[in-house]
Amino acid sequence: PSHREFGVTSGRPRVVGFFDCVAHAELMQAQGPYCSISAFDRADDYDTYAVCVAYVYVHPEGTPLSSNGRLFRNGDILRAGEQLPTQQVLAHCQPVLKKVDGWRETPIFARSEWWLAQQHPVALSENVCKLLDIIEHFTKTVILSIGNGPRGDEIIYLRRLATRAWATPSKASRRPSASLEEALRSRA
């Protein structure tokens, strides 16, 4: 990976899993409507990136399990915004993934050649915008910033240039804004 991050013990390159909208939605119900996503640049290295938009309960023996007053049977769907069940139930849940094309040609890693060569502010690629829109749609949150490097100053504050539905990402783009205050003002 371009980020040169490796496990301390194993020495293997760090790997990024899918973004979990179901877990994130529950967290955001308690935390508030705005969020920042760190390490977003890790997806620079993938041809496709997956987002978990739901889970399906599948017990190998067909055994129903109860959690938080809900009985889970094989085939039941757990959607973003619904209360997460216990670990006992989650152990039998399979993710429902929505795939998004990657953005290798336009990496947002703060020290990549492409990023450094751009005139700032930069319009983010359509695929980055698609992923952001999917996350906002399923978690019912507003993403104010994304991390594009391990250092504290490697943050992209987002400013939406036009509003759009998450399913029609080609009609607008996002631009990083100069500051958090500007990002908040543009959301008002």
Side-chain angles (χ1 to χ4, degrees):
S2 62
H3 307 97
R4 297 177 191 89
E5 291 185 41
F6 300 90
V8 174
T9 304
S10 68
R12 293 187 304 253
R14 296 201 186 211
V15 178
V16 175
F18 55 75
F19 187 91
D20 190 337
C21 288
V22 179
H24 192 79
E26 179 159 313
L27 171 75
M28 294 312 297
Q29 287 175 0
Q31 191 170 340
Y34 301 107
C35 73
S36 180
I37 301 174
S38 63
F40 207 80
D41 59 306
R42 305 267 174 83
D44 288 355
D45 296 323
Y46 299 94
D47 294 323
T48 58
Y49 190 76
V51 181
C52 178
V53 297
Y55 283 98
V56 177
Y57 177 78
V58 182
H59 194 285
E61 296 154 10
T63 306
L65 292 175
S66 180
S67 175
N68 303 324
R70 178 176 174 185
L71 185 63
F72 287 86
R73 294 184 177 92
N74 277 356
D76 283 353
I77 297 173
L78 174 63
R79 294 173 176 80
E82 297 177 352
Q83 186 177 17
L84 284 177
T86 61
Q87 289 295 320
Q88 181 185 17
V89 172
L90 281 175
H92 300 290
C93 288
Q94 298 298 313
V96 176
L97 301 175
K98 179 166 181 55
K99 290 187 178 181
V100 177
D101 288 333
W103 50 86
R104 281 182 188 256
E105 300 79 32
T106 56
I108 63 170
F109 178 54
R111 286 172 260 145
S112 69
E113 289 180 28
W114 184 88
W115 184 260
L116 294 172
Q118 301 306 302
Q119 182 176 348
H120 295 267
V122 175
L124 298 175
S125 74
E126 184 175 333
N127 292 338
V128 171
C129 294
K130 282 181 186 178
L131 181 55
L132 292 170
D133 286 343
I134 290 167
I135 292 169
E136 284 185 342
H137 173 78
F138 283 100
T139 63
K140 307 291 187 252
T141 61
V142 176
I143 301 168
L144 295 178
S145 64
I146 55 177
N148 70 331
R151 297 192 321 224
D153 62 341
E154 295 172 337
I155 298 172
I156 301 171
Y157 293 99
L158 303 173
R159 180 170 41 107
R160 191 180 296 268
L161 296 179
T163 58
R164 62 191 156 118
W166 71 274
T168 56
S170 60
K171 294 184 180 176
S173 64
R174 293 175 184 253
R175 269 186 189 272
S177 63
S179 68
L180 176 59
E181 292 78 22
E182 186 178 317
L184 288 169
R185 278 194 304 274
S186 70
R187 303 279 184 187

